[in-house]
Amino acid sequence: MRLRLLAPLLLLLAAAPAPHKAHPALWRLSDADTTIWLFGTIHALPAGYSWRDPSIETAMEHADALTLETVIDQDPGKLATILYTLGKGDGLPPLADRVPVAKRARLAQLIKATGLPPTALDGMKSWAAAVVLTGVAMQEIGVGAQDGVETQLTSFFRGKSEPVDGFETPEQQLGFFNALPQAAQDSFLIATLDSPAKAKAEFAEMVGAWSKGDVKAIARAFADDPEFTPALREILVRHRNAAWAAALQQRMARPGTSFVAVGAGHLAGPDSLIEMLRAKGLKVERAD
């Protein structure tokens, strides 16, 4: 579940070989004088993974602005401060008591790898501890967000001196996780304790669908996940998609061309950003 839900600042695990020729889905939202390219991303990829096909390259080159889910400050200390401020809990049971007995050995392994004392993580809310442990799990398999789509897009647009902004601030984005009920937070934490082999297999499946532009397969991955509860869907997907659709509707009043990149799961399924834009009477079509 965490592989499908985490935002850029939470990072994704990735361990899949690059396909011979990737062709991710690209949409065009347009009217007479405004074009907004909509692209679903994978937030972290193996080094050297090639995903920029000619359609995507052309859209990037002609766009004069980039919008992401959120923009991460180049100083990692600022994000860490936000995480620990929001994620500090009071009166919580030890982290081990929040996961099944069968998962405690894996939990202890990841906690040790953080270099933090167990008491430090015991004092964190479950969602925040999951974020910290996910970072360690990424390091275990030698993958980081430096090769992710958002990182590459940001570098490209800043390289041509174009503005880069976000729909949400890091505080807002982490706030969605902070708003999860305790049961959902604990489920998120437990999912973080999957074995690296299982995480690799799930992510390889997701990257395979994404690289082929198979939006239906991406939607099925969400729909078939028993851990993706209605509460999680409402807070982490539907609520945010609705806000982004409203923001893009307003942006259509401004002439020009821009490139919008959000997690691929936000552009798939009945609650997708694409369907919400169409429900507003806006013209959205596949462009790849």
Side-chain angles (χ1 to χ4, degrees):
M1 176 181 66
R2 72 188 185 283
L3 303 183
R4 298 169 182 151
L5 299 180
L6 292 182
L9 55 91
L10 303 181
L11 310 178
L12 290 170
L13 298 175
H20 177 66
K21 189 174 183 181
H23 191 62
L26 179 70
W27 283 265
R28 179 172 51 241
L29 167 64
S30 63
D31 61 16
D33 58 7
T34 304
T35 296
I36 299 177
W37 300 102
L38 301 173
F39 184 56
T41 70
I42 296 292
H43 302 314
L45 289 168
Y49 194 104
S50 177
W51 54 269
R52 288 160 61 167
D53 69 12
S55 296
I56 296 168
E57 287 277 8
T58 299
M60 290 168 59
E61 290 169 0
H62 288 89
D64 51 26
L66 170 66
T67 297
L68 306 172
E69 292 183 28
T70 193
V71 178
I72 306 302
D73 196 287
Q74 296 184 43
D75 177 2
K78 292 184 179 180
L79 181 59
T81 297
I82 297 169
L83 173 63
Y84 286 103
T85 298
L86 284 176
K88 182 180 179 181
D90 294 313
L92 293 171
L95 212 56
D97 291 348
R98 298 180 233 168
V99 305
V101 173
K103 295 283 190 178
R104 290 177 184 173
R106 175 62 174 159
L107 174 65
Q109 181 184 35
L110 287 178
I111 291 175
K112 182 178 180 180
T114 68
L116 298 171
T119 52
L121 287 166
D122 286 342
M124 299 181 73
K125 298 173 184 176
S126 295
W127 71 264
V131 171
V132 175
L133 297 179
T134 295
V136 172
M138 286 180 55
Q139 293 172 9
E140 279 188 335
I141 60 173
V143 175
Q146 67 273 9
D147 296 302
V149 172
E150 283 85 356
T151 302
Q152 295 183 49
L153 286 172
T154 298
S155 177
F156 178 87
F157 277 85
R158 286 178 173 165
K160 61 175 189 165
S161 300
E162 302 289 5
V164 178
D165 64 9
F167 284 119
E168 304 157 351
T169 66
E171 292 92 339
Q172 288 173 321
Q173 195 169 79
L174 285 176
F176 292 122
F177 286 87
N178 196 42
L180 290 172
Q182 187 62 47
Q185 290 191 36
D186 290 344
S187 294
F188 179 38
L189 172 62
I190 293 166
T192 306
L193 305 177
D194 285 344
S195 70
K198 181 179 179 181
K200 289 179 183 180
E202 289 181 350
F203 195 72
E205 180 181 359
M206 179 65 74
V207 171
W210 172 77
S211 69
K212 293 181 290 187
D214 191 342
V215 180
K216 291 183 178 179
I218 294 172
R220 284 196 302 270
F222 278 87
D224 294 344
D225 192 335
E227 294 175 327
F228 191 42
T229 65
L232 287 171
R233 182 181 297 277
E234 178 64 29
I235 293 174
L236 300 181
V237 177
R238 192 177 185 282
H239 173 79
R240 297 168 71 204
N241 285 352
W244 300 347
L248 290 175
Q249 184 179 35
Q250 293 182 354
R251 189 173 300 183
M252 291 300 293
R254 303 199 308 263
T257 302
S258 60
F259 195 98
V260 172
V262 298
H266 290 282
L267 303 184
D271 296 324
S272 71
L273 177 58
I274 302 298
E275 295 305 320
M276 290 186 178
L277 289 167
R278 287 172 174 163
K280 292 178 178 294
L282 298 171
K283 180 183 177 181
V284 188
E285 57 189 353
R286 281 286 290 262
D288 51 288

